């Protein structure tokens, strides 16, 4: 049973999940992971379907629950990963992260890139140390995966450029469900993110939490073909990453 989050002064972050220790969510860090509720995308393969669709019915974590744990574990933890849902929808995200940074912890942000002004602010104010941004599809087919009621690719393009021209550590990543993205689509993606630091391919994996079940992914040989194709676009690191 979590407390009354609304009574916490200066804390409006809607946090519905809290993994106290993970070795997976933040590269090279022992981290805690915070899951915000709500998202403007409706990706059918999303593994956090409850956070996207049903967060209003879920119980929130309070400011004290989060920060009491972080203070107790700050000697062990190296960072905090903030994911969702879509964290940049939270207007007080910078203030929340500032409290985390005050504990001496690094911060990794997962984002869909639809709020470039928030992303730029977090980078400019040195509030994030690592950003992982999803690339759902090629630009022309993007909304076939994002499934937004009103879609504009420009903010996502702006976020890509913000990361590529920043000094921050970052990665782009794509969840690969073969029914939603073809091998040829990666040519357009490669051209779009040409010169990026890192691009991770995450083979789709079925789980109980996905919004829509029944997708599959490519074979190991097909992923080898995709990686060879992406080798033409000066991307620093193209790798396969298993999904949890």
């Amino acid at each position: 049973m979590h407390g009354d989050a609304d009574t916490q002064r200066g804390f409006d972050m809607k946090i519905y999940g809290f993994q106290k220790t993970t070795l997976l969510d933040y590269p090279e860090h022992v981290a805690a992971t915070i899951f915000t509720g709500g998202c403007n995308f409706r990706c059918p393969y999303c593994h956090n379907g409850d956070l996207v669709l049903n967060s209003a019915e879920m119980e929130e974590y309070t400011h004290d629950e989060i920060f009491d744990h972080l203070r107790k574990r700050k000697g062990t933890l190296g960072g905090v990963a903030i994911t969702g849902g879509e964290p940049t929808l939270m207007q007080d995200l910078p203030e929340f992260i500032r409290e985390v940074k005050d504990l001496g912890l690094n911060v990794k942000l997962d984002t869909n890139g639809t709020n470039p002004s928030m992303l730029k602010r977090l980078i400019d104010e040195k509030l994030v140390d690592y950003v992982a941004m999803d690339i759902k599809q090629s630009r022309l087919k993007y909304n076939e995966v994002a499934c937004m009621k009103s879609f504009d690719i420009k903010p996502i393009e702006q976020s890509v450029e913000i990361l590529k021209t920043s000094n921050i550590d970052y990665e782009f990543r794509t969840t690969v469900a073969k029914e939603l993205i073809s091998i040829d689509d990666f040519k357009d993606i490669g051209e779009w993110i040409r010169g990026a630091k890192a691009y991770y391919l995450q083979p789709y994996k079925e789980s109980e939490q996905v919004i829509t079940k029944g997708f599959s992914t490519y074979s190991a040989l097909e992923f080898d073909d995709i990686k060879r194709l992406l080798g033409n676009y000066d991307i620093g690191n193209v790798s396969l990453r298993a999904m949890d």
Side-chain angles (χ1 to χ4, degrees), residues 116-156:
S117 60
M118 176 67 82
L119 178 62
K120 187 174 188 305
R121 177 183 173 187
L122 296 175
I123 293 172
D124 287 349
E125 296 183 13
K126 296 181 169 39
L127 293 175
V128 287
D129 303 282
Y130 192 99
V131 175
M133 178 178 159
D134 292 328
I135 300 292
K136 303 296 183 181
Q137 238 289 11
S138 64
R139 283 174 282 191
L140 289 177
K141 296 181 179 180
Y142 216 88
N143 206 38
E144 292 179 14
V145 178
C147 301
M148 295 178 75
K149 291 181 180 178
S150 177
F151 180 73
D152 182 2
I153 191 68
K154 290 186 181 66
I156 299 166

Side-chain angles (χ1 to χ4, degrees), residues 36-37 45 53-54 68 74 114 116 131 139 185 188 198 206 227:
T36 64
Y45 54 56
L53 301 176
N54 304 313
D68 284 352
K74 69 178 184 177
T114 53
V131 175
R139 283 174 282 191
D185 289 327
D188 295 325
E206 192 93 325
K227 287 195 289 182

Side-chain angles (χ1 to χ4, degrees), residues 167-185:
N167 294 320
I168 198 170
D169 285 333
Y170 71 88
E171 67 181 59
F172 298 117
R173 61 189 187 184
T174 297
T175 298
V176 183
K178 66 188 300 183
E179 293 83 2
L180 297 174
I181 189 166
S182 72
I183 292 177
D184 275 350
D185 289 327

